Amino acid sequence: VKDLPKGKVLILDIDGEKFKKNKFFWGHDFVLGTLHNFGGRMVLHGDIKAVSQNKYMKLAQKKPNLVGTGLFPEAIGHNPMYYDLVLEMLTADNRVNLEEWIAAYAERRYGYQSQGAYQALSSLKNSVYKKGSDMVDTGCVMLARPTMTAEMSAPFAGKLEPAFDLGRLVESLKLLYGEFDNLEKSDAYRYDLVDLLREILSNVSLNYYRNVQSAYATRDARAFREAANRFLELINDTDDLLSVRREFDLQTWLD
């Protein structure tokens, strides 16, 4: 590639990282991408502060062969706040004040100015949307094939351990749910409640699974039955939760 005539090649740096190892593509025109999603997995993640800093504009000022920026996810229909900001930054000429943006986003999304909703969404940048979470694609043990030694939910899926403090996400959900009387008529608000609780249950399920593993390892039949039943109940609870939104309901995809 480095020997091809300049101006005859456009390189798509899909995850926005390859230019570092390839000397800015040797002067060829390239597009700085954001990948973010693998295989349509619904896990909440993405470094929202990094997005707000407008990496493209800072780099384009130094490298004239950086001619554009783009979005290259393997699926959409998830992480609405993250993608709302990413899509806005595609045409932004500077960085944005993240707190001001989140406040405006909360009002735009829910149709109502709510301090509690703003605080809930802002707090997500300290958990699921924290620094360094762009390429963190964790799996859910409820989706793994039945086994006593599950390490991932599917081939090429991420590890099962949550990449953030689960307690912080629980606090965000409490803040958001506290605005129910004001925001219940907002479809986006109801979606976000289900989305946050779905993510919490997904990660809590690993603790339940570990209890099953522990009881099995010690050959404690009673403890195993109790732990297994709790794990199965959590799966049923999660299924009930997801069925209230067509975006998450299996029947939508079967139909």
Side-chain angles (χ1 to χ4, degrees):
V1 174
K2 65 180 70 175
D3 295 327
L4 293 174
K6 301 295 189 297
K8 298 296 185 180
V9 177
L10 176 63
I11 298 175
L12 304 182
D13 189 355
I14 292 177
D15 65 1
E17 295 292 329
K18 298 299 185 290
F19 73 89
K20 298 176 182 178
K21 298 181 179 179
N22 294 284
K23 300 180 179 179
F24 291 93
F25 299 114
W26 313 282
H28 290 297
D29 292 345
F30 75 100
V31 171
L32 188 72
T34 297
L35 178 54
H36 185 263
N37 179 266
F38 296 92
R41 301 187 187 106
M42 306 296 289
V43 60
L44 296 178
H45 70 292
D47 188 339
I48 200 168
K49 184 176 181 180
V51 173
S52 73
Q53 296 300 304
N54 203 335
K55 175 182 176 181
Y56 165 73
M57 286 301 300
K58 293 197 300 185
L59 198 58
Q61 293 171 0
K62 301 176 182 178
K63 299 295 178 179
N65 62 313
L66 174 53
V67 297
T69 182
L71 184 61
F72 302 92
E74 290 189 357
I76 55 175
H78 56 88
N79 287 280
M81 185 166 76
Y82 178 86
Y83 280 107
D84 196 292
L85 180 57
V86 168
L87 291 169
E88 183 170 324
M89 297 306 295
L90 292 180
T91 56
D93 59 5
N94 210 331
R95 67 180 63 185
V96 301
N97 182 302
L98 187 55
E99 291 304 323
E100 292 179 0
W101 184 90
I102 293 174
Y105 170 79
E107 183 175 359
R108 182 172 72 250
R109 182 160 176 78
Y110 303 139
Y112 183 86
Q113 192 173 48
S114 164
Q115 183 66 18
Y118 156 68
Q119 291 175 343
L121 296 183
S122 177
S123 66
L124 295 179
K125 68 182 184 295
N126 298 318
S127 57
V128 292
Y129 296 136
K130 70 177 184 177
K131 180 179 179 180
S133 62
D134 268 338
M135 307 297 285
V136 179
D137 198 11
T138 55
C140 173
V141 73
M142 287 188 285
L143 305 180
R145 293 180 178 180
T147 175
M148 293 307 304
T149 57
E151 295 181 358
M152 58 180 61
S153 59
F156 308 109
K159 295 182 179 180
L160 298 174
E161 287 76 13
F164 57 89
D165 183 343
L166 188 57
R168 287 188 169 184
L169 185 57
V170 172
E171 289 304 315
S172 298
L173 178 62
K174 288 179 178 179
L175 284 169
L176 193 61
Y177 185 67
E179 294 296 304
F180 187 84
D181 290 342
N182 296 323
L183 303 179
E184 63 172 317
K185 293 182 180 180
S186 165
D187 186 64
Y189 172 75
R190 297 195 301 272
Y191 172 94
D192 286 350
L193 283 179
V194 173
D195 202 19
L196 293 189
L197 182 53
R198 173 199 60 76
E199 184 69 30
I200 290 169
L201 295 181
S202 173
N203 288 282
V204 166
S205 68
L206 182 60
N207 296 332
Y208 283 47
Y209 177 72
R210 296 292 187 226
N211 291 337
V212 175
Q213 285 181 309
S214 177
Y216 181 81
T218 58
R219 299 296 189 265
D220 188 332
R222 179 178 178 181
F224 177 82
R225 283 193 297 270
E226 291 178 353
N229 286 335
R230 289 193 70 197
F231 183 58
L232 293 172
E233 287 173 4
L234 182 64
I235 293 176
N236 289 332
D237 288 344
T238 303
D239 196 42
D240 289 343
L241 171 70
L242 299 184
S243 69
V244 306
R245 297 293 313 190
R246 66 176 305 276
E247 300 91 342
F248 300 123
D249 187 7
L250 175 61
Q251 193 62 47
T252 299
W253 304 103
L254 294 178
D255 292 342

